[in-house]
Amino acid sequence: MGSITNDSHFINDTDYYEEQSSSLFDIHILVPVTIISIILFFLGVTGNVITILIFKQRREMRTTVNMYLSSMALSDILICLGLPSDLYRIWKYRPYIFGDFLCKFVFYLSETCTYCTILHITALSVERYFAICFPLKARTTITKCRVRGIILGLWVWSLLTASPILFLFGVEHRNGSLPDETRECKYIEHLARTGLLETMTWVSTIYFFLPILCLTLLYGLICRKLWSSRHNLRGPQAASREKYHKQTIKMLAVVVLAFVLCWLPFHIGRILFAQTEIILYDVTQYFNLISMILFYLGASINPILYNVMSQKYRQAVSKILNYGQVWHSRSLTRSEKTSLEGTEVSSFM
């Protein structure tokens, strides 16, 4: 997972299990965690891929809101792709067999996408604030072209601010030990002593808690605006627009709440582990395990929330699945027809 401090504390306790198995947990813990992780992986990848397909293929779904959500779905897919690496490392922490580049890249990609998801949620909430509180101004300023530019900027900024991770992490082995047996994907100790580890921990913490403060303020202002304007609605178009805004805000609020609940333990763990030198080994390991599962749940749950809360989304998913079934049945029909023609020709011959 995109865990700087959490993963590093898997390593800080290496002395404890130096003579033990290379697994971090007992088998009765590893098996259910593995099953849950596999389910989350497939839910996250397939659900977010379907989300992107819906927003790209369905013309009526190509709104500025859905542009943010589809980009966020891509970010969540990339986060989920880091799950197999984390799963491998809790089964067999060392030796790390995938090399220095993959070690760096997995951490960097996960951290980048973590920042990117947070920024997307914040930018989308700012857009909804302007659309609801300043509708006339928003109509001219919020365009698809500008939203594309903002989304590109969010990705570039996330890639840049996460770049120190490429220098902070790598494959190392303990001095005096055999490299082939003790290679670990971890933070590089001499760089961590310079303060880079603690700096990146605080960067990721600010990335989480500052947007949460911003989101709380924005949704408070939006709710006040919707509450104060409920008596001023005139005409069916105004009522319809107000209903659309309320439905959108309700869905986004649930997405934000799920995001906070799933990622909060992860960031609390980072702060505690960065500031506390003596921590109980068992407590830290199991807390890390729970926060890892919740972290990946956060990257997997959005398509489920869209499906539950949006009728348009459900209809679009149904159409895509039905199209897949029709295409499959047509291919089977063509294949059966070809097979039948082949049989007739061979019989004739």
Side-chain angles (χ1 to χ4, degrees), residues 108-131:
Y108 174 62
L109 183 65
S110 183
E111 197 71 10
T112 297
C113 294
T114 302
Y115 296 169
C116 202
T117 296
I118 295 170
L119 291 175
H120 273 71
I121 290 175
T122 307
L124 177 53
S125 300
V126 170
E127 186 208 280
R128 287 298 90 197
Y129 166 74
F130 278 107

Side-chain angles (χ1 to χ4, degrees), residues 208 256-266 294:
F208 180 75
V256 169
L257 181 61
F259 159 77
V260 172
L261 293 177
C262 289
W263 286 22
L264 185 61
F266 168 72
L294 287 174

Side-chain angles (χ1 to χ4, degrees), residues 213-237:
L213 181 63
C214 179
L215 291 171
T216 303
L217 177 63
L218 286 173
Y219 283 105
L221 293 172
I222 289 170
C223 289
R224 188 180 72 173
K225 175 66 176 179
L226 291 175
W227 179 262
S228 62
S229 64
R230 72 191 191 281
H231 299 302
N232 301 326
L233 299 178
R234 293 179 181 177
Q237 287 187 345

Side-chain angles (χ1 to χ4, degrees), residues 19-33:
E19 303 300 329
Q20 308 296 324
S21 166
S22 58
S23 297
L24 291 175
F25 301 96
D26 294 332
I27 192 71
H28 67 277
I29 298 293
L30 290 172
V31 170
V33 166

Side-chain angles (χ1 to χ4, degrees), residues 3 41 64-65 93 104 109 120 122 124 167 174 190 233 236 238 245 309 311 330 333 347:
S3 51
F41 178 81
T64 55
V65 171
Y93 199 80
K104 291 177 180 290
L109 183 65
H120 273 71
T122 307
L124 177 53
F167 305 97
R174 285 186 170 273
H190 74 272
L233 299 178
H245 284 324
M309 301 196 66
Q311 185 179 357
R330 284 178 181 174
T333 306
S347 301

Side-chain angles (χ1 to χ4, degrees), residues 13-300:
D13 297 298
T14 306
D15 291 333
Y16 177 88
Y17 56 84
E18 186 69 42
E19 303 300 329
Q20 308 296 324
S21 166
S22 58
S23 297
L24 291 175
F25 301 96
D26 294 332
I27 192 71
H28 67 277
I29 298 293
L30 290 172
V31 170
V33 166
T34 300
I35 293 170
I36 293 171
S37 298
I38 290 171
I39 293 170
L40 289 178
F41 178 81
F42 284 105
L43 279 177
V45 173
T46 56
N48 285 299
V49 165
I50 289 174
T51 298
I52 293 172
L53 289 175
I54 287 171
F55 295 154
K56 295 297 180 185
Q57 292 181 1
R58 311 295 303 177
R59 186 177 295 275
E60 70 275 12
M61 301 290 277
R62 294 176 193 169
T63 63
T64 55
V65 171
N66 290 344
M67 287 169 68
Y68 282 109
L69 294 182
S70 60
S71 182
M72 206 165 80
L74 174 60
S75 177
D76 287 341
I77 290 170
L78 295 176
I79 288 175
C80 289
L81 293 181
L83 197 155
S85 174
D86 276 340
L87 198 56
Y88 173 83
R89 290 172 67 234
I90 64 173
W91 273 91
K92 191 175 180 63
Y93 199 80
R94 65 174 189 273
Y96 187 79
I97 62 174
F98 299 110
D100 188 65
F101 172 78
L102 194 60
C103 171
K104 291 177 180 290
F105 182 74
V106 168
F107 275 103
Y108 174 62
L109 183 65
S110 183
E111 197 71 10
T112 297
C113 294
T114 302
Y115 296 169
C116 202
T117 296
I118 295 170
L119 291 175
H120 273 71
I121 290 175
T122 307
L124 177 53
S125 300
V126 170
E127 186 208 280
R128 287 298 90 197
Y129 166 74
F130 278 107
I132 293 171
C133 297
F134 306 98
L136 296 178
K137 188 176 180 180
R139 199 170 296 174
T140 56
T141 57
I142 300 174
T143 63
K144 290 183 180 179
C145 184
R146 285 180 179 170
V147 168
R148 287 191 193 97
I150 292 171
I151 289 172
L152 179 61
L154 297 181
W155 277 99
V156 171
W157 180 250
S158 300
L159 288 165
L160 289 175
T161 51
S163 59
I165 295 294
L166 292 169
F167 305 97
L168 182 59
F169 283 86
V171 175
E172 283 197 332
H173 65 91
R174 285 186 170 273
N175 293 329
S177 62
L178 297 174
D180 291 341
E181 296 177 5
T182 59
R183 288 194 309 270
E184 297 177 6
C185 178
K186 51 176 282 187
Y187 65 83
I188 299 170
E189 291 187 12
H190 74 272
L191 287 173
R193 293 192 199 102
T194 65
L196 184 58
L197 177 65
E198 189 171 355
T199 300
M200 290 307 295
T201 300
W202 281 110
V203 167
S204 66
T205 301
I206 291 168
Y207 253 109
F208 180 75
F209 287 101
L210 189 59
I212 293 304
L213 181 63
C214 179
L215 291 171
T216 303
L217 177 63
L218 286 173
Y219 283 105
L221 293 172
I222 289 170
C223 289
R224 188 180 72 173
K225 175 66 176 179
L226 291 175
W227 179 262
S228 62
S229 64
R230 72 191 191 281
H231 299 302
N232 301 326
L233 299 178
R234 293 179 181 177
Q237 287 187 345
S240 175
R241 186 171 62 250
E242 199 77 7
K243 183 180 178 182
Y244 166 75
H245 284 324
K246 286 182 180 179
Q247 185 180 4
T248 304
I249 292 305
K250 188 186 296 184
M251 187 181 75
L252 291 179
V254 171
V255 169
V256 169
L257 181 61
F259 159 77
V260 172
L261 293 177
C262 289
W263 286 22
L264 185 61
F266 168 72
H267 287 278
I268 289 175
R270 285 185 164 184
I271 296 172
L272 292 177
F273 300 148
Q275 297 301 310
T276 310
E277 294 181 358
I278 302 174
I279 309 175
L280 292 175
Y281 171 79
D282 289 336
V283 172
T284 61
Q285 300 313 306
Y286 286 104
F287 187 90
N288 288 339
L289 193 62
I290 293 168
S291 66
M292 183 193 84
I293 292 171
L294 287 174
F295 178 78
Y296 287 114
L297 175 63
S300 309

